[in-house]
Amino acid sequence: MAVKTKTQILNTAEALFAQQGFSNTSLRTITTCADVNLASVNYHFGSKKLLIQAVLQRYLDVLMPKVNQQLDHLVESVAEPEVPHIFEAMVEPLLSLNNLRPNGTSTFVLLLGRGYSESQGHLRRFITEHYGPVLMRVVAMVHQALPELAPSEVFWRLHFAIGTFVFSMASSSALTEIAAADYDQDVDIKGVIGRILPFISAGVATPLQTGNWSLDLKRDIA
Amino acid sequence: MAVKTKTQILNTAEALFAQQGFSNTSLRTITTCADVNLASVNYHFGSKKLLIQAVLQRYLDVLMPKVNQQLDHLVESVAEPEVPHIFEAMVEPLLSLNNLRPNGTSTFVLLLGRGYSESQGHLRRFITEHYGPVLMRVVAMVHQALPELAPSEVFWRLHFAIGTFVFSMASSSALTEIAAADYDQDVDIKGVIGRILPFISAGVATPLQTGNWSLDLKRDIA
DNA sequence: CATAAATTCAAACTGTTGTTTGAATCGTTT
DNA sequence: AAACGATTCAAACAACAGTTTGAATTTATG
């Protein structure tokens, strides 16, 4: 055999999962496209849920150590890293996933988006259990870069940033199509990341609002 | 009968859809909870897909005219509205959905998030077809507030903003739970909106980057 | 080469999904 | 009260889901 059945399933599954979502992709579709037997999924992975985790794990096991490593470099080279630095530190590891597999970067981010919005917790739990320390470190560093913000405020803004990132990636194919049609603009995954980073950096680092808009909020509830 | 079957279905369906997503909510669950016959969904709405659209339409038909009206007020009172003004104009209409139904605001935004991330285009098409003009107006006004930005740049940033909003709302229940557990913080839908608005306003209005981070991007691809 | 383990395979199982059907029931109108 | 259309109902339908099974086949081992 050219490629082992197990990795053949993983390759086909990750492509279909990224394209159509987890619950919309049946094991029969996967095994047919992969040209393997239906039962082989349960034989090699145990269940569909575990297959999904295996697909993501194959990326996360590569990505997370690299992110950690980039953060090491950052604290070595910059005394007090700012928010954009921290986010930029994650770019290179993300793009390096293209070396892992063709279209690795966009595939992974698509999968991440699917996982966040589709799964009812089991994937989020899997990620925080297996890769918690790196995530904690990012939170701590952002908090250090924005000491005037309460920890809870940092928490919220980082989740907004994740939301922006993950959601934009999940619909990036649709968006790049529209951009190409309406603005004659060819944007790839790198271009999208390059546009998101300033956006979320500005959002996370924006000073606390003391303005008047919250008055509107209170006034108009009725 | 106290409540007509049709609205009883709509009420139950929207709650379950918001809570578990569209594809994860079966018609049998809906009709059982609503205490109506299974066939009544197809009788009154034709199909599940049309039921989903009906659930969203009931909100959008109220929300969109109000947004339009708020934008009218804005252009009357402010000569050159800025980005935060435009976003704030959408807050009151959103919160007014609580008058429509209990928890109307959070339910609607949850539904919007589900619709965006779950449906493969049919919901997005439905929305842009039925409520396109208002959306166009928002795009135009933001572009007017940020004339130095290319239209395509405005396009991207607004979609990032939508992504932030919709995604955060779709996972707001999980987030508020974590916030309550980890930070002893009770945050309701108003609190989340109040935190998102400064975030996306800063993101959308951030000046174009000429910095050096894109160099890292190019250097590290390999 | 023979034996044992690992893997593949076709088929069936169990459960759920959205949808349809045709009779029974209800509400209104004549 | 009779007749009619609108609605409800239990039941079945067809398609698809993930999973299991046990025999056939391949691969590796002694």
Side-chain angles (χ1 to χ4, degrees):
Chain A
M1 58 191 68
V3 186
K4 287 183 124 69
T5 303
K6 200 168 174 178
T7 64
Q8 175 70 10
I9 292 175
L10 284 172
N11 290 338
T12 312
E14 78 167 36
L16 290 170
F17 283 154
Q19 193 182 335
Q20 326 176 339
F22 297 119
S23 52
N24 281 330
T25 305
S26 70
L27 294 184
R28 281 173 174 81
T29 310
I30 294 172
T31 53
T32 303
C33 290
D35 205 43
V36 300
N37 189 268
L38 169 62
S40 56
V41 170
N42 289 279
Y43 176 77
H44 284 288
F45 298 95
S47 70
K48 186 183 182 181
K49 197 181 282 190
L50 289 173
L51 170 64
I52 295 174
Q53 293 187 5
V55 166
L56 261 101
Q57 186 160 18
R58 208 161 54 137
Y59 280 103
L60 289 168
D61 282 346
V62 175
L63 180 74
M64 286 302 191
K66 287 201 179 183
V67 168
N68 212 23
Q69 188 180 332
Q70 286 288 105
L71 293 178
D72 285 340
H73 292 164
L74 183 58
V75 294
E76 281 172 17
S77 56
V78 183
E80 295 184 349
E82 302 185 25
V83 172
H85 295 131
I86 301 168
F87 288 151
E88 287 159 25
M90 317 183 81
V91 172
E92 195 274 337
L94 268 173
L95 292 177
S96 77
L97 298 179
N98 274 334
N99 306 340
L100 207 61
R101 260 177 298 286
N103 285 97
T105 303
S106 59
T107 303
F108 167 72
V109 184
L110 275 167
L111 290 170
L112 198 67
R114 301 285 190 190
Y116 242 98
S117 49
E118 267 193 47
S119 78
Q120 314 90 324
H122 90 90
L123 252 184
R124 209 177 311 202
R125 212 175 316 124
F126 169 78
I127 292 177
T128 51
E129 274 177 15
H130 286 68
Y131 311 96
V134 185
L135 303 175
M136 298 289 201
R137 191 180 181 190
V138 174
V139 175
M141 289 181 69
V142 170
H143 183 39
Q144 202 167 352
L146 301 169
E148 74 276 14
L149 251 53
S152 65
E153 208 58 38
V154 175
F155 160 85
W156 281 104
R157 293 188 179 187
L158 276 182
H159 273 92
F160 295 158
I162 293 175
T164 312
F165 193 71
V166 152
F167 179 92
S168 302
M169 289 298 140
S171 42
S172 70
S173 60
L175 295 183
T176 47
E177 274 176 31
I178 301 174
D182 292 6
Y183 302 104
D184 282 321
Q185 200 186 36
D186 251 352
V187 178
D188 59 353
I189 186 80
K190 238 189 306 167
V192 179
I193 292 181
R195 283 176 168 79
I196 291 184
L197 249 65
F199 184 97
I200 62 177
S201 295
V204 170
T206 194
L208 277 171
Q209 305 290 315
T210 57
N212 46 7
W213 79 267
S214 58
L215 299 176
D216 288 49
L217 205 61
K218 284 182 198 130
R219 173 168 57 77
D220 288 322
I221 298 173
Chain B
M1 56 193 68
V3 186
K4 287 186 125 65
T5 303
K6 200 168 172 177
T7 64
Q8 175 70 10
I9 293 174
L10 284 172
N11 290 338
T12 312
E14 80 167 36
L16 290 169
F17 283 154
Q19 194 182 335
Q20 326 176 339
F22 296 118
S23 52
N24 280 331
T25 305
S26 72
L27 295 184
R28 281 173 174 80
T29 310
I30 295 171
T31 52
T32 303
C33 291
D35 205 42
V36 300
N37 189 269
L38 169 62
S40 55
V41 170
N42 290 279
Y43 176 77
H44 284 289
F45 298 95
S47 71
K48 185 183 182 181
K49 196 182 280 189
L50 290 173
L51 169 65
I52 295 174
Q53 293 188 4
V55 166
L56 262 103
Q57 186 159 18
R58 208 161 54 137
Y59 279 104
L60 289 168
D61 282 345
V62 175
L63 179 74
M64 287 301 190
K66 287 202 179 182
V67 169
N68 213 22
Q69 187 181 334
Q70 286 287 105
L71 293 178
D72 285 339
H73 292 163
L74 182 58
V75 295
E76 281 172 18
S77 56
V78 183
E80 293 183 349
E82 300 186 27
V83 171
H85 296 131
I86 301 169
F87 288 150
E88 287 160 22
M90 317 183 81
V91 172
E92 195 273 338
L94 268 174
L95 291 178
S96 76
L97 297 180
N98 273 334
N99 305 340
L100 206 63
R101 258 177 299 287
N103 286 98
T105 303
S106 60
T107 304
F108 167 73
V109 185
L110 275 168
L111 290 170
L112 200 65
R114 301 286 190 187
Y116 242 97
S117 50
E118 268 194 45
S119 78
Q120 313 90 327
H122 91 90
L123 253 184
R124 209 178 310 204
R125 213 176 315 124
F126 170 77
I127 292 178
T128 51
E129 272 177 16
H130 287 67
Y131 311 94
V134 184
L135 303 176
M136 297 290 201
R137 192 179 179 191
V138 174
V139 176
M141 289 181 69
V142 170
H143 184 38
Q144 203 167 351
L146 301 169
E148 74 277 12
L149 250 53
S152 66
E153 207 59 39
V154 175
F155 160 86
W156 281 105
R157 294 188 179 184
L158 275 181
H159 273 92
F160 295 158
I162 294 175
T164 312
F165 191 72
V166 151
F167 179 92
S168 303
M169 289 300 140
S171 42
S172 69
S173 61
L175 295 184
T176 47
E177 274 175 32
I178 300 173
D182 291 7
Y183 301 104
D184 280 323
Q185 198 186 39
D186 250 351
V187 178
D188 58 354
I189 187 78
K190 237 190 306 168
V192 180
I193 292 181
R195 283 176 170 79
I196 290 184
L197 248 64
F199 184 96
I200 62 177
S201 294
V204 169
T206 193
L208 278 170
Q209 305 291 315
T210 58
N212 47 6
W213 79 268
S214 58
L215 298 176
D216 288 49
L217 205 60
K218 284 181 199 128
R219 174 167 55 77
D220 286 324
I221 298 172

